[in-house]
Amino acid sequence: MPNSYTTLWTNGLCRELERSGYAGRRLTMMFGGPHQSLPSFERAGVRPGDTIHPVRVFRTRLHVLGAMEVSRIIPYETAGSELHDDDYTKLLDWRPLKAGCVTEVLLGPPGAPLTFDTVVAPDLLERLTFTSRRGERTLKYVEEGRLIRSVSLQGIYRLAADSAAELHELVLDHSR
């Protein structure tokens, strides 16, 4: 069964994407690496068929920026030889997402449009649940429906099924 994950994007990256006209474009590619600033999707357990939800924390609110289903994960070092011309063009087009040491490329069909104003409601924020081999957990540092610190989102985390469905519905509602 496919899983859904979140990955935290910095406010600096989001500002750059907004200024560069990426709002409304459908995600087709993401990048992973070995460092906390660009974590590895493979190490987090992401597989083809899974969905990635990039998120942002801005002014104590959690924003879900879009969604992309993963169709392939390839090593960045072989991307030039493995990708068809159309996909290689996409690789160049999404270069703002390539911060730091890139080791993997996630490819997918066009996902939900990239938006920067879809806020997760306070009640969903308080019950948003993640799952791992160690069990389930909710977000830390949530007070009165606001996210005070983003540390518990830094990385790539698998969403519990109910939370994944609610985030997915929020993304779909906003893209209609």
Side-chain angles (χ1 to χ4, degrees):
M1 181 171 176
N3 292 306
S4 291
Y5 294 81
T6 62
T7 184
L8 182 65
W9 286 2
T10 66
N11 286 315
L13 172 61
C14 291
R15 280 190 296 274
E16 181 181 343
L17 291 169
E18 281 182 291
R19 276 194 304 263
S20 300
Y22 284 83
R25 294 180 58 188
R26 295 181 179 277
L27 286 167
T28 57
M29 190 165 293
M30 290 188 204
F31 302 90
H35 303 297
Q36 184 176 357
S37 61
L38 189 68
S40 170
F41 288 93
E42 286 185 313
R43 198 171 356 164
V46 174
R47 303 284 176 254
D50 292 344
T51 299
I52 308 297
H53 294 278
V55 296
R56 164 193 200 183
V57 178
F58 184 65
R59 297 185 177 162
T60 71
R61 302 288 182 223
L62 179 64
H63 297 249
V64 60
L65 306 173
M68 184 187 93
E69 182 182 327
V70 178
S71 61
R72 289 175 62 196
I73 302 173
I74 61 171
Y76 180 71
E77 63 189 29
T78 63
S81 61
E82 285 194 45
L83 294 177
H84 298 290
D85 289 344
D86 289 345
D87 285 332
Y88 190 75
T89 302
K90 292 174 191 171
L91 179 94
L92 298 174
D93 190 40
W94 286 102
R95 70 182 163 274
L97 299 180
K98 290 180 5 184
C101 299
V102 175
T103 58
E104 60 197 35
V105 180
L106 280 70
L107 303 166
L114 192 59
T115 65
F116 299 97
D117 59 353
T118 305
V119 177
V120 174
D123 61 317
L124 175 54
L125 181 66
E126 290 181 358
R127 68 177 184 277
L128 200 62
T129 305
F130 297 88
T131 187
S132 70
R133 284 180 253 125
R134 290 183 242 147
E136 291 191 347
R137 70 167 177 89
T138 56
L139 286 172
K140 295 179 183 178
Y141 310 109
V142 175
E143 297 176 9
E144 298 175 3
R146 298 178 311 133
L147 187 57
I148 306 305
R149 296 180 65 203
S150 63
V151 69
S152 60
L153 282 168
Q154 292 174 351
I156 299 166
Y157 296 104
R158 184 171 41 142
L159 289 157
D162 289 347
S163 291
E166 287 189 84
L167 270 192
H168 188 70
E169 189 62 33
L170 181 61
V171 169
L172 288 178
D173 283 349
H174 193 75
S175 65
R176 289 181 187 146

